[in-house]
Amino acid sequence: MVRMKNQIQSIAEKYSNDRTRLMDIFWDIQDLHGYIPHKALRVLEESLDISTADLRETLSFYHFFHESPSGKFNIYLNKDVASQLKGHEAIYAAFETECNCKFGSVCMDGTFGLFETPCIGLSDQEPAALINLVPFTNLTPQKVKDIVAALRAGKELAALVEQYGYGDGANQQIKTMVCSNIRQLGPVFGEKISTGEGLAQSLKSTPEQVIEEVKTAGLRGRGGAGFGTGMKWSFCRAAKGSTKYVVCNADEGEPGTFKDRIVMTEYPEQLFEGMAIAGYAIGAQQGILYLRAEYKYMQDYLEGKLKDLRAKNILGQNVLGKSGFNFDIRIQFGAGAYVCGEESALIESMEGKRGTPRVKPPFPVEVGYLGCPTVINNVETLAALPYILKNGGSWYKGFGTEKTPGTKLLSVSGDCEKPGVYEIEFGMTVREFLAMVGAKDAYAVQVSGPSGECINAQQSLDRKLCHEDLSAGGSMIIFNKDRDLLKYMRYFMTFFVEESCGICVPCRAGNIVMRNNLDKIRAGHANQEDLDNIFAWGQIVADTSRCGLGATSRNPIVSSFKNFPDLYKKLLDEKTNPLYDASFNLEASVEDFDRALKEQNQIGRNVHA
Amino acid sequence: MAEQTASNKPVVATISLAGCFGCHMSLLDIDDRIVQFIDLFELNKSPVNDIKKFTKRAHVGLVEGGCCNDENVKVLRYFRENCDVLVSVGACAGNGGLPALRNKMPLQECLVEAYLDAPTAELGKAIIPYDEELPKLLDRVYPCHEVVKIDYYMPGCPPSAEVFWDTLTSVIKGQGFDLPVELIKYD
């Protein structure tokens, strides 16, 4: 106990007993003990001067933190749509059989813990799982059997990663099975650029000129919302305060998205250089990369890159000889929460709290991290900057469409011949897209993940991927004709149910109502009124939620209904007495009671006896 | 529509299922307006006047409480068959409310805890009570709209007397009314 106390105290001291570094403190404790023991909270209570209740508030929010002893090997199997399309069920069963325990529990001898997790950013190589956060891709039941047997036999986890990526653009340094799968590069990321070129060009100009250049380029946020990057920067530059921050949002959690994974493994220099450019533009000295825990396997690699950049004076004091411009970057890990991709929730998380989105305004550009003006940009946005600053804003504006200039990285998965990452120019039609990825019998495409739109592929062939038509955030999941589309829409609704932070009641409760009504439809028990009810609830949730999660959570149902109305209408029950709810079965609902009587009351001992 | 009564007053019926009668108390909290109530409405089946069976079709039925047993279901269906407009009143009718706390655990565990392992249970003699006269518990507590079609909801635990009064008087005027902001404000 004394030993543990000392350990916890020294972890807290490592972070200067700073409660805003709670995420790092929890990760260190979990790395040491395999979970975060209650006793550790007692120690932290003193060291950080906050209550156990406050500690647990943060701890319980993130699904990668364990409050009770977990397995020696914790296996997180991706349950998302991309995995389901590639045989998730068989892998799920294989893990349960081989580990001899059920998902959601730890096996008897404590060797394996089995858990499910939403999209882990490997949709192009599913089924995939993280074992102690090390990715294992393209799983088969046989591979599962071999992996579990080897671990049981005492083999090192790292030794099981036999093959390091492959194919074009596979990065050998990172030592992971994950392959980059870059299928096509465009005019931006396809250009050879030497590290520091864009930054050096920026430093020749004033920060205001840099912002103007980015405005000229027409660069818009690549996380999905598409806010003007230059405008965001100018707000932050104008905001009062001497300390400002640049945050890179690398919490890529939208199901089906993995393009940031490729940027971080193939273009880390450009990303970090882009952060430095942003820092110079807004007047910040500190950059933070908020990296999702699913990408913890990149930690050593990215830390190494940061070290190289410091050695080249692209980071550090008087960057590239520019007197007075100091800039450095640290990596902050999340711990499994989709909503932390929302920028204000991300800030809360970086401050060691639950990922609850803030009420806006004020926006982060004015009151952000630690109350200071903060610019939060997506990985892809930042990584494009060195190219833009090197070649000029008007060069970049020459690509794409009038209203959505530039290029976009698409993460393509599902039913197609060539899943992977593609750099396209905005304005590409769905027809061109489907031909490019080899989707011959595409039925539906989930564009921009569940918060985006489920389009009818054949009816949308001439629609264009750009903000003025079909907004493309990055995720493209393709479904062919044999797929039960509503099953996947149902998964997406469950995803929102699980990932809602719960602060807004309509989102916390309304998503469940919508999901349950969809179940009713699928079971053939719903009538038109139930369907209308979904849309009514969807409207309430969208209108009354703080953040984008609630604003878009109805989209899987609303967009699939809009584009595939027959899928729903053929399931509606218009025969049963409309005064009664067809899903309620009185006989079935008293079965539990009858069973309890039978099992608990011995024969002849009921009241009549 | 219900057949018009001799007095031509709208007919109202009320019931408490798996609730606490708090909503009914709140209804009675309209104070002296109870006199107006009698002038404006005819009360049919209700615990207030102890009419057990509908003697005529009602225009409006107010349902307090959700369904925790088979009798609740039968009564709720009986209401649905006999009311033109059915209103789900309060948190229990609308969401299951407090009784639905048991929904998180299997019914059998609840029964064992309540009747067999209870500190007051007589050792070796305790049983889960059963008689054909006793209702059977459902596997979980259901809000009313999961059992029958519900036309309107009155949120609140309980809805205030004002909400009851406004609801009923708007019904006879044949018009809607706005819910007070406090009832629908979440943030």
Side-chain angles (χ1 to χ4, degrees):
Chain A
M1 181 58 205
V2 176
R3 186 158 155 262
M4 189 213 246
K5 190 175 175 180
N6 290 338
Q7 283 170 340
I8 305 292
Q9 278 172 341
S10 60
I11 289 173
E13 276 163 23
K14 182 176 153 196
Y15 299 99
S16 318
N17 291 325
D18 178 359
R19 70 149 293 172
T20 69
R21 299 299 295 276
L22 197 53
M23 295 294 281
D24 303 281
I25 293 169
F26 280 153
W27 270 118
D28 283 9
I29 296 173
Q30 182 155 298
D31 286 345
L32 194 66
H33 291 279
Y35 72 109
I36 295 150
H38 190 71
K39 283 172 186 166
L41 300 186
R42 292 280 176 210
V43 182
L44 288 181
E45 202 170 26
E46 263 179 44
S47 301
L48 306 181
D49 194 25
I50 45 174
S51 70
T52 299
D54 284 336
L55 290 163
R56 287 205 63 237
E57 191 181 39
T58 297
L59 178 58
S60 60
F61 187 78
Y62 298 93
H63 76 254
F64 282 119
F65 288 145
H66 294 273
E67 292 183 71
S68 53
S70 56
K72 187 179 167 203
F73 298 104
N74 288 313
I75 299 169
Y76 284 90
L77 177 62
N78 179 17
K79 63 175 173 181
D80 220 283
V81 165
S83 175
Q84 293 173 35
L85 293 174
K86 300 290 172 192
H88 161 269
E89 251 172 77
I91 307 301
Y92 183 98
F95 271 120
E96 285 198 337
T97 311
E98 299 306 324
C99 297
N100 202 15
C101 70
K102 295 277 173 205
F103 269 91
S105 68
V106 178
C107 73
M108 291 296 276
D109 65 3
T111 311
F112 298 104
L114 290 184
F115 308 95
E116 285 194 285
T117 189
C119 187
I120 54 178
L122 296 168
S123 302
D124 53 337
Q125 38 215 301
E126 294 291 345
L130 301 171
I131 305 182
N132 289 355
L133 298 179
V134 175
F136 285 82
T137 59
N138 295 312
L139 292 170
T140 59
Q142 184 59 43
K143 281 188 195 171
V144 168
K145 197 173 177 184
D146 296 345
I147 291 168
V148 172
L151 291 174
R152 218 187 274 284
K155 212 168 171 190
E156 287 285 316
L157 187 61
L160 295 177
V161 183
E162 285 163 353
Q163 193 181 20
Y164 294 151
Y166 61 82
D168 290 340
N171 197 303
Q172 292 296 313
Q173 283 172 290
I174 195 165
K175 303 216 184 319
T176 169
M177 287 171 80
V178 178
C179 36
S180 292
N181 279 338
I182 298 176
R183 300 282 185 174
Q184 176 183 304
L185 288 176
V188 177
F189 288 99
E191 189 190 320
K192 290 273 173 265
I193 188 172
S194 57
T195 307
E197 241 181 303
L199 179 60
Q201 195 64 36
S202 310
L203 296 177
K204 286 181 198 156
S205 323
T206 64
E208 288 79 5
Q209 285 167 332
V210 173
I211 293 176
E212 271 317 304
E213 203 62 45
V214 174
K215 281 186 181 170
T216 306
L219 180 64
R220 297 168 68 159
R222 294 291 188 251
F227 192 80
T229 306
M231 198 186 300
K232 191 186 263 189
W233 289 8
S234 58
F235 290 150
C236 191
R237 176 150 192 93
K240 282 184 190 139
S242 53
T243 307
K244 296 179 182 179
Y245 293 96
V246 173
V247 174
C248 173
N249 182 347
D251 193 47
E252 180 174 51
E254 191 70 39
T257 315
F258 50 86
K259 45 119 189 147
D260 293 347
R261 182 193 92 212
I262 277 79
V263 174
M264 287 187 283
T265 43
E266 302 293 339
Y267 301 93
E269 290 91 354
Q270 283 70 32
L271 167 62
F272 293 139
E273 193 185 325
M275 289 176 74
I277 294 170
Y280 177 68
I282 64 159
Q285 301 201 336
Q286 174 75 55
I288 302 164
L289 176 74
Y290 184 93
L291 188 55
R292 67 192 307 224
E294 287 84 344
Y295 292 163
K296 222 163 193 274
Y297 69 93
M298 295 179 194
Q299 184 172 13
D300 292 346
Y301 172 72
L302 291 176
E303 298 280 9
K305 291 289 175 191
L306 287 175
K307 216 172 143 190
D308 293 347
L309 293 175
R310 286 184 198 113
K312 290 180 184 159
N313 194 221
I314 286 167
L315 296 175
Q317 303 289 311
N318 302 320
V319 168
L320 293 179
K322 181 83 176 179
S323 162
F325 176 50
N326 308 323
F327 191 80
D328 211 332
I329 295 170
R330 76 171 172 87
I331 299 175
Q332 170 72 62
F333 278 100
Y338 167 72
V339 76
C340 288
E342 196 280 342
E343 58 178 10
S344 65
L346 184 146
I347 292 174
E348 289 284 299
S349 176
M350 289 204 307
E351 292 178 354
K353 291 177 271 182
R354 292 169 78 85
T356 302
R358 293 176 178 174
V359 176
K360 289 182 266 188
F363 290 93
V365 285
E366 286 178 326
V367 183
Y369 180 53
L370 304 177
C372 302
T374 304
V375 150
I376 302 173
N377 284 138
N378 177 263
V379 172
E380 188 186 344
T381 315
L382 289 163
L385 290 168
Y387 301 94
I388 293 172
L389 272 301
K390 182 200 159 202
N391 298 311
S394 27
W395 166 80
Y396 190 80
K397 195 164 169 52
F399 308 117
T401 67
E402 177 68 29
K403 286 182 182 152
T404 321
T407 67
K408 183 79 194 82
L409 296 175
L410 298 180
S411 320
V412 181
S413 61
D415 297 319
C416 65
E417 283 165 11
K418 293 175 279 184
V421 165
Y422 295 77
E423 184 186 8
I424 61 147
E425 283 192 48
F426 278 110
M428 174 181 262
T429 62
V430 171
R431 186 193 309 275
E432 290 162 343
F433 166 77
L434 293 173
M436 176 179 76
V437 303
K440 291 206 178 77
D441 54 351
Y443 177 60
V445 184
Q446 187 72 34
V447 180
S448 303
S451 66
E453 188 177 346
C454 179
I455 61 165
N456 183 321
Q458 299 310 321
Q459 287 174 13
S460 314
L461 292 172
D462 295 319
R463 289 190 71 183
K464 289 184 169 142
L465 298 169
C466 55
H467 283 291
E468 53 271 34
D469 186 2
L470 191 52
S471 183
S475 169
M476 305 290 276
I477 306 173
I478 300 159
F479 302 92
N480 69 25
K481 284 200 167 50
D482 305 327
R483 305 296 186 178
D484 173 5
L485 200 58
L486 298 193
K487 174 182 151 189
Y488 303 107
M489 297 305 125
R490 199 258 178 204
Y491 168 80
F492 286 146
M493 288 314 298
T494 304
F495 172 76
F496 286 128
V497 166
E498 289 173 358
E499 297 298 330
S500 167
C501 79
I503 194 81
C504 307
V505 177
C507 177
R508 184 174 71 217
N511 290 330
I512 295 175
V513 174
M514 287 190 272
R515 195 260 319 262
N516 290 356
N517 269 355
L518 181 57
D519 281 346
K520 225 169 130 176
I521 292 173
R522 293 185 65 220
H525 290 146
N527 53 30
Q528 184 63 39
E529 200 175 321
D530 293 299
L531 190 58
D532 295 343
N533 193 265
I534 293 184
F535 300 130
W537 268 99
Q539 191 66 48
I540 292 170
V541 175
D543 288 346
T544 55
S545 297
R546 266 187 204 182
C547 79
L549 192 154
T552 59
S553 65
R554 61 182 166 154
N555 288 5
I557 299 179
V558 170
S559 70
S560 62
F561 176 74
K562 185 179 141 211
N563 298 316
F564 301 93
D566 293 345
L567 282 187
Y568 287 84
K569 285 179 181 160
K570 72 177 183 199
L571 291 171
L572 294 185
D573 167 20
E574 302 298 355
K575 290 181 201 129
T576 317
N577 179 356
L579 290 181
Y580 287 4
D581 192 304
S583 68
F584 181 79
N585 181 331
L586 183 57
E587 287 69 36
S589 64
V590 295
E591 275 171 13
D592 281 6
F593 183 72
D594 289 336
R595 193 179 318 118
L597 287 183
K598 205 169 150 192
E599 288 174 12
Q600 298 294 336
N601 290 354
Q602 290 159 28
I603 297 160
R605 284 195 44 211
N606 65 26
V607 236
H608 293 300
Chain B
M1 281 298 285
E3 57 192 76
Q4 295 293 296
T5 63
S7 56
N8 219 20
K9 287 192 282 191
V11 180
V12 175
T14 76
I15 189 66
S16 179
L17 304 173
C20 69
F21 269 93
C23 294
H24 274 80
M25 293 301 117
S26 192
L27 168 64
L28 296 179
D29 211 21
I30 55 176
D31 299 330
D32 57 338
R33 283 171 291 187
I34 192 90
V35 181
Q36 282 185 60
F37 180 94
I38 294 163
D39 283 343
L40 292 169
F41 302 101
E42 178 184 339
L43 194 61
N44 201 271
K45 177 173 165 51
S46 168
V48 177
N49 56 15
D50 216 19
I51 296 179
K52 307 279 190 208
K53 290 206 152 98
F54 281 99
T55 56
K56 61 169 69 159
R57 192 166 170 81
H59 292 89
V60 182
L62 302 177
V63 183
E64 170 189 348
C67 294
C68 74
N69 61 37
D70 60 349
E71 191 204 12
N72 293 155
V73 173
K74 285 165 192 160
V75 173
L76 180 59
R77 285 175 171 174
Y78 181 50
F79 258 69
R80 180 68 269 185
E81 297 289 353
N82 285 282
C83 300
D84 291 343
V85 170
L86 200 58
V87 185
S88 182
V89 176
C92 299
N95 301 312
L98 273 182
L101 282 178
R102 78 160 161 97
N103 290 2
K104 288 279 180 191
M105 53 201 100
L107 175 63
Q108 188 161 148
E109 276 179 36
C110 296
L111 292 168
V112 168
E113 183 66 28
Y115 295 110
L116 305 183
D117 293 347
T120 50
E122 202 180 343
L123 205 63
K125 289 190 177 169
I127 57 153
I128 296 169
Y130 179 68
D131 185 279
E132 58 189 31
E133 290 296 313
L134 289 176
K136 286 182 177 183
L137 293 181
L138 305 183
D139 54 347
R140 63 181 177 88
V141 178
Y142 294 78
C144 293
H145 63 268
E146 289 187 13
V147 177
V148 298
K149 173 180 154 63
I150 293 291
D151 300 296
Y152 295 102
Y153 297 84
M154 287 168 62
C157 184
S160 69
E162 300 308 318
V163 173
F164 273 102
W165 186 249
D166 287 349
T167 307
L168 288 170
T169 51
S170 339
V171 166
I172 50 167
K173 288 179 199 153
Q175 66 188 37
F177 76 100
D178 289 328
L179 285 172
V181 172
E182 306 85 73
L183 282 181
I184 47 174
K185 182 175 180 294
Y186 302 104
D187 199 31

mmCIF file of all heavy atoms in Angstrom, chain A residues 180-203:
data_model
loop_
_atom_site.group_PDB
_atom_site.id
_atom_site.type_symbol
_atom_site.label_atom_id
_atom_site.label_comp_id
_atom_site.label_asym_id
_atom_site.label_seq_id
_atom_site.Cartn_x
_atom_site.Cartn_y
_atom_site.Cartn_z
ATOM 1 N N SER A 180 -0.832 1.528 -45.019
ATOM 2 C CA SER A 180 -1.399 2.839 -45.333
ATOM 3 C C SER A 180 -2.469 2.777 -46.407
ATOM 4 O O SER A 180 -3.419 3.538 -46.383
ATOM 5 C CB SER A 180 -0.291 3.795 -45.753
ATOM 6 O OG SER A 180 0.525 4.052 -44.634
ATOM 7 N N ASN A 181 -2.329 1.860 -47.349
ATOM 8 C CA ASN A 181 -3.341 1.738 -48.401
ATOM 9 C C ASN A 181 -3.638 3.049 -49.114
ATOM 10 O O ASN A 181 -4.794 3.402 -49.320
ATOM 11 C CB ASN A 181 -4.667 1.199 -47.827
ATOM 12 C CG ASN A 181 -4.631 -0.304 -47.680
ATOM 13 O OD1 ASN A 181 -3.843 -0.982 -48.344
ATOM 14 N ND2 ASN A 181 -5.463 -0.830 -46.809
ATOM 15 N N ILE A 182 -2.587 3.787 -49.446
ATOM 16 C CA ILE A 182 -2.824 4.995 -50.241
ATOM 17 C C ILE A 182 -3.049 4.546 -51.675
ATOM 18 O O ILE A 182 -2.167 3.964 -52.295
ATOM 19 C CB ILE A 182 -1.617 5.951 -50.190
ATOM 20 C CG1 ILE A 182 -1.376 6.401 -48.757
ATOM 21 C CG2 ILE A 182 -1.852 7.162 -51.097
ATOM 22 C CD1 ILE A 182 -0.152 7.277 -48.584
ATOM 23 N N ARG A 183 -4.241 4.800 -52.196
ATOM 24 C CA ARG A 183 -4.583 4.331 -53.536
ATOM 25 C C ARG A 183 -4.338 5.400 -54.587
ATOM 26 O O ARG A 183 -4.081 5.091 -55.733
ATOM 27 C CB ARG A 183 -6.057 3.928 -53.590
ATOM 28 C CG ARG A 183 -6.423 2.825 -52.618
ATOM 29 C CD ARG A 183 -5.988 1.478 -53.142
ATOM 30 N NE ARG A 183 -6.454 0.415 -52.264
ATOM 31 C CZ ARG A 183 -6.313 -0.873 -52.531
ATOM 32 N NH1 ARG A 183 -5.704 -1.254 -53.635
ATOM 33 N NH2 ARG A 183 -6.751 -1.766 -51.688
ATOM 34 N N GLN A 184 -4.510 6.643 -54.170
ATOM 35 C CA GLN A 184 -4.358 7.701 -55.157
ATOM 36 C C GLN A 184 -3.972 9.008 -54.483
ATOM 37 O O GLN A 184 -4.595 9.410 -53.499
ATOM 38 C CB GLN A 184 -5.680 7.891 -55.912
ATOM 39 C CG GLN A 184 -5.647 9.045 -56.885
ATOM 40 C CD GLN A 184 -6.992 9.245 -57.546
ATOM 41 O OE1 GLN A 184 -7.556 8.343 -58.159
ATOM 42 N NE2 GLN A 184 -7.539 10.454 -57.423
ATOM 43 N N LEU A 185 -2.929 9.647 -54.983
ATOM 44 C CA LEU A 185 -2.556 10.960 -54.469
ATOM 45 C C LEU A 185 -2.919 12.004 -55.503
ATOM 46 O O LEU A 185 -2.885 11.763 -56.708
ATOM 47 C CB LEU A 185 -1.068 11.018 -54.161
ATOM 48 C CG LEU A 185 -0.640 10.230 -52.920
ATOM 49 C CD1 LEU A 185 0.866 10.267 -52.763
ATOM 50 C CD2 LEU A 185 -1.317 10.752 -51.664
ATOM 51 N N GLY A 186 -3.277 13.191 -55.017
ATOM 52 C CA GLY A 186 -3.677 14.276 -55.905
ATOM 53 C C GLY A 186 -2.590 15.329 -55.974
ATOM 54 O O GLY A 186 -1.438 15.077 -55.604
ATOM 55 N N PRO A 187 -2.976 16.515 -56.406
ATOM 56 C CA PRO A 187 -1.992 17.573 -56.620
ATOM 57 C C PRO A 187 -1.371 18.128 -55.338
ATOM 58 O O PRO A 187 -0.312 18.749 -55.403
ATOM 59 C CB PRO A 187 -2.801 18.655 -57.345
ATOM 60 C CG PRO A 187 -4.221 18.369 -57.061
ATOM 61 C CD PRO A 187 -4.325 16.897 -56.865
ATOM 62 N N VAL A 188 -1.994 17.935 -54.205
ATOM 63 C CA VAL A 188 -1.438 18.502 -52.966
ATOM 64 C C VAL A 188 -0.524 17.495 -52.278
ATOM 65 O O VAL A 188 0.693 17.660 -52.241
ATOM 66 C CB VAL A 188 -2.560 18.997 -52.025
ATOM 67 C CG1 VAL A 188 -1.960 19.507 -50.723
ATOM 68 C CG2 VAL A 188 -3.366 20.097 -52.708
ATOM 69 N N PHE A 189 -1.100 16.429 -51.761
ATOM 70 C CA PHE A 189 -0.271 15.479 -51.026
ATOM 71 C C PHE A 189 0.641 14.683 -51.958
ATOM 72 O O PHE A 189 1.570 14.013 -51.513
ATOM 73 C CB PHE A 189 -1.145 14.558 -50.167
ATOM 74 C CG PHE A 189 -1.729 15.263 -48.985
ATOM 75 C CD1 PHE A 189 -3.028 15.734 -48.997
ATOM 76 C CD2 PHE A 189 -0.956 15.497 -47.853
ATOM 77 C CE1 PHE A 189 -3.557 16.420 -47.909
ATOM 78 C CE2 PHE A 189 -1.474 16.176 -46.757
ATOM 79 C CZ PHE A 189 -2.779 16.639 -46.790
ATOM 80 N N GLY A 190 0.347 14.764 -53.236
ATOM 81 C CA GLY A 190 1.197 14.074 -54.206
ATOM 82 C C GLY A 190 2.482 14.833 -54.508
ATOM 83 O O GLY A 190 3.410 14.282 -55.111
ATOM 84 N N GLU A 191 2.536 16.068 -54.084
ATOM 85 C CA GLU A 191 3.712 16.869 -54.396
ATOM 86 C C GLU A 191 4.855 16.559 -53.432
ATOM 87 O O GLU A 191 4.644 16.375 -52.241
ATOM 88 C CB GLU A 191 3.365 18.357 -54.296
ATOM 89 C CG GLU A 191 4.485 19.238 -54.824
ATOM 90 C CD GLU A 191 4.266 20.720 -54.505
ATOM 91 O OE1 GLU A 191 3.123 21.180 -54.602
ATOM 92 O OE2 GLU A 191 5.248 21.386 -54.158
ATOM 93 N N LYS A 192 6.053 16.505 -53.985
ATOM 94 C CA LYS A 192 7.222 16.302 -53.110
ATOM 95 C C LYS A 192 7.549 17.664 -52.501
ATOM 96 O O LYS A 192 7.670 18.661 -53.208
ATOM 97 C CB LYS A 192 8.415 15.793 -53.920
ATOM 98 C CG LYS A 192 8.235 14.370 -54.420
ATOM 99 C CD LYS A 192 8.696 13.353 -53.369
ATOM 100 C CE LYS A 192 8.369 11.934 -53.790
ATOM 101 N NZ LYS A 192 7.104 11.397 -53.248
ATOM 102 N N ILE A 193 7.712 17.676 -51.210
ATOM 103 C CA ILE A 193 8.002 18.942 -50.541
ATOM 104 C C ILE A 193 9.045 18.647 -49.470
ATOM 105 O O ILE A 193 8.985 17.596 -48.819
ATOM 106 C CB ILE A 193 6.704 19.534 -49.940
ATOM 107 C CG1 ILE A 193 6.934 20.949 -49.411
ATOM 108 C CG2 ILE A 193 6.128 18.665 -48.867
ATOM 109 C CD1 ILE A 193 5.641 21.650 -48.990
ATOM 110 N N SER A 194 10.003 19.520 -49.303
ATOM 111 C CA SER A 194 10.969 19.209 -48.253
ATOM 112 C C SER A 194 10.539 19.866 -46.955
ATOM 113 O O SER A 194 9.916 20.940 -46.945
ATOM 114 C CB SER A 194 12.382 19.619 -48.661
ATOM 115 O OG SER A 194 12.405 20.973 -48.979
ATOM 116 N N THR A 195 10.830 19.180 -45.884
ATOM 117 C CA THR A 195 10.365 19.629 -44.575
ATOM 118 C C THR A 195 10.874 21.032 -44.273
ATOM 119 O O THR A 195 12.054 21.310 -44.417
ATOM 120 C CB THR A 195 10.850 18.646 -43.497
ATOM 121 O OG1 THR A 195 10.437 17.344 -43.889
ATOM 122 C CG2 THR A 195 10.275 18.968 -42.140
ATOM 123 N N GLY A 196 9.955 21.886 -43.849
ATOM 124 C CA GLY A 196 10.349 23.233 -43.442
ATOM 125 C C GLY A 196 10.175 24.274 -44.530
ATOM 126 O O GLY A 196 10.220 25.477 -44.258
ATOM 127 N N GLU A 197 9.938 23.829 -45.755
ATOM 128 C CA GLU A 197 9.813 24.772 -46.871
ATOM 129 C C GLU A 197 8.648 25.739 -46.679
ATOM 130 O O GLU A 197 8.796 26.961 -46.841
ATOM 131 C CB GLU A 197 9.586 23.989 -48.174
ATOM 132 C CG GLU A 197 10.660 24.197 -49.213
ATOM 133 C CD GLU A 197 10.358 23.415 -50.485
ATOM 134 O OE1 GLU A 197 10.207 22.161 -50.391
ATOM 135 O OE2 GLU A 197 10.252 24.048 -51.527
ATOM 136 N N GLY A 198 7.486 25.173 -46.346
ATOM 137 C CA GLY A 198 6.285 26.004 -46.179
ATOM 138 C C GLY A 198 6.430 26.940 -45.000
ATOM 139 O O GLY A 198 6.030 28.105 -45.046
ATOM 140 N N LEU A 199 7.016 26.425 -43.932
ATOM 141 C CA LEU A 199 7.196 27.243 -42.728
ATOM 142 C C LEU A 199 8.169 28.380 -42.995
ATOM 143 O O LEU A 199 7.919 29.532 -42.618
ATOM 144 C CB LEU A 199 7.686 26.367 -41.563
ATOM 145 C CG LEU A 199 7.941 27.066 -40.239
ATOM 146 C CD1 LEU A 199 6.668 27.742 -39.703
ATOM 147 C CD2 LEU A 199 8.456 26.068 -39.182
ATOM 148 N N ALA A 200 9.273 28.069 -43.682
ATOM 149 C CA ALA A 200 10.266 29.089 -43.987
ATOM 150 C C ALA A 200 9.633 30.210 -44.811
ATOM 151 O O ALA A 200 9.859 31.400 -44.554
ATOM 152 C CB ALA A 200 11.430 28.476 -44.762
ATOM 153 N N GLN A 201 8.791 29.805 -45.762
ATOM 154 C CA GLN A 201 8.093 30.787 -46.590
ATOM 155 C C GLN A 201 7.185 31.672 -45.722
ATOM 156 O O GLN A 201 7.155 32.890 -45.886
ATOM 157 C CB GLN A 201 7.257 30.017 -47.632
ATOM 158 C CG GLN A 201 6.755 30.852 -48.783
ATOM 159 C CD GLN A 201 7.896 31.413 -49.635
ATOM 160 O OE1 GLN A 201 8.914 30.754 -49.826
ATOM 161 N NE2 GLN A 201 7.739 32.657 -50.100
ATOM 162 N N SER A 202 6.488 31.041 -44.769
ATOM 163 C CA SER A 202 5.587 31.786 -43.889
ATOM 164 C C SER A 202 6.344 32.807 -43.059
ATOM 165 O O SER A 202 5.891 33.931 -42.861
ATOM 166 C CB SER A 202 4.868 30.852 -42.919
ATOM 167 O OG SER A 202 4.295 29.789 -43.599
ATOM 168 N N LEU A 203 7.506 32.390 -42.569
ATOM 169 C CA LEU A 203 8.241 33.253 -41.651
ATOM 170 C C LEU A 203 8.807 34.499 -42.338
ATOM 171 O O LEU A 203 9.184 35.461 -41.678
ATOM 172 C CB LEU A 203 9.365 32.462 -40.952
ATOM 173 C CG LEU A 203 8.879 31.322 -40.045
ATOM 174 C CD1 LEU A 203 10.053 30.552 -39.457
ATOM 175 C CD2 LEU A 203 7.981 31.829 -38.925
#
